[in-house]
Amino acid sequence: MSDTNITITKIIVYKFYSLLGHSCRILFSAFSAKKLVPEKEVSDLNLLLFTGLKGGKMLKAVLISIYNTWEKIPLLTVVTDGTPTKIIEEHLKFWPYPYKVKTWEESAAFHLDRSRKSLVDWCRINVFARKLLAILAEAEQHPTLYCDTDVLWFAEPPLPVSSNGIAMRMSQDNKHYYHMPVIRYFNRQDMLDKPPLNAGLIYLSGSPYDHYKNFAELIDFVKIFHKGISEQLVFALMADQLGDSWTPDQVIVNTRDLHWPLLPSYLFSGRQFARHHVLTKHSWFWRDALYILLFKRKKRRRPAAR
């Protein structure tokens, strides 16, 4: 088969699964309520999302997956990548619980008040770094669970207990997507022999500025990189020293099911509590969102009769 035929076949296959995902998205929009009913209690946990125009369109699916499967609803904080807050607030009209929408500059002001100019300088040239900046600002103020807008939930996650003022946990990846200049500069080739970590799902309570030795030096170096995912390696180095990780059996980061199966077993098994749709935002993300909307609903516990 010629390269041209292979390319055409790939395009047709991609278009087919995109159409499948689009159909599920239309059904999700048709069946989801315009305004949810606030029938569950609110917890003390801060749920942080970092998003822009594209991620804003996925917020409803992410939050309904939490609404349907968690016992209590976390406080919601959304930090934008530079997108006007009014656009994100429009996407959150359906959400009946307390929430805040901030710009990344507001998170930057928090750090500037603490003389962390290098971190803010890095964020001015690297959009990925703004996620790090937002997570650090929120976690220093209250325990924070962060997830990307392509993460869907099947259950509440187990969270680590704080020790000496710090707690951290990350999801694992299927490959080491680390920034090699940082690895070499700090002589951390050992990170490549450990399970790869992914910054799509992170729990953090406390500040690495107080608990990670030479964290400021690490930021001083990575701030020169205006492209790439050096921020993911910063998180991985933090977790290596300060915390641990969820396993692939708990958080799915699968890149091998682009085309099959149509209905995977994880939707029914109850073993995993989340999936990070790193390559399937256009297709299986909306299939899973529709399934969670229609078939996974954890009812609010009623107080025991006295």
Side-chain angles (χ1 to χ4, degrees), residues 13-175:
V13 169
Y14 179 84
K15 292 291 186 181
F16 171 78
Y17 284 97
S18 294
L19 178 61
L20 185 65
H22 185 66
S23 300
C24 290
R25 180 177 177 177
I26 291 174
L27 290 171
F28 175 87
S29 298
F31 287 110
S32 58
K34 291 187 177 181
K35 186 77 172 183
L36 296 179
V37 178
E39 61 182 15
K40 293 186 177 182
E41 294 181 47
V42 177
S43 71
D44 295 329
L45 179 66
N46 180 41
L47 174 71
L48 174 63
L49 299 172
F50 178 79
T51 190
L53 287 173
K54 291 183 179 179
K57 298 175 182 178
M58 303 163 79
L59 285 176
K60 189 171 187 178
V62 176
L63 293 174
I64 284 182
S65 74
I66 290 173
Y67 178 84
N68 274 17
T69 63
W70 289 24
E71 188 69 38
K72 292 183 178 181
I73 303 298
L75 300 169
L76 174 63
T77 302
V78 181
V79 176
T80 74
D81 60 1
T83 302
T85 57
K86 288 183 179 180
I87 294 177
I88 304 303
E89 288 167 354
E90 192 68 23
H91 288 299
L92 291 173
K93 282 186 174 180
F94 77 98
W95 191 242
Y97 296 97
Y99 68 84
K100 298 177 182 177
V101 180
K102 304 178 180 179
T103 64
W104 76 268
E105 288 92 346
E106 291 177 73
S107 298
F110 175 88
H111 291 289
L112 288 175
D113 287 343
R114 288 154 181 79
S115 301
R116 299 166 185 169
K117 186 175 180 297
S118 290
L119 177 59
V120 177
D121 287 345
W122 184 28
C123 294
R124 297 190 196 283
I125 63 171
N126 189 313
V127 174
F128 291 103
R130 296 174 187 177
K131 181 172 86 172
L132 173 71
L133 171 127
I135 293 173
L136 295 187
E138 293 298 318
E140 193 166 340
Q141 299 171 78
H142 30 230
T144 294
L145 177 66
Y146 169 84
C147 74
D148 283 352
T149 53
D150 55 0
V151 172
L152 292 173
W153 298 86
F154 310 120
E156 292 182 58
L159 301 177
V161 178
S162 180
S163 176
N164 298 318
I166 192 74
M168 185 174 183
R169 185 166 289 170
M170 288 180 67
S171 55
Q172 291 188 20
D173 213 330
N174 49 44
K175 187 178 179 181

Side-chain angles (χ1 to χ4, degrees), residues 237-256:
L237 290 169
M238 288 167 53
D240 181 62
Q241 186 177 129
L242 304 175
D244 55 24
S245 63
W246 290 290
T247 69
D249 292 329
Q250 294 175 302
V251 181
I252 304 168
V253 187
N254 191 0
T255 59
R256 296 190 299 273

Side-chain angles (χ1 to χ4, degrees), residues 135 201 297:
I135 293 173
L201 206 165
R297 180 70 187 274

Side-chain angles (χ1 to χ4, degrees), residues 204-215:
L204 181 62
S205 177
S207 174
Y209 281 98
D210 297 329
H211 298 276
Y212 187 105
K213 186 178 179 181
N214 298 326
F215 187 74

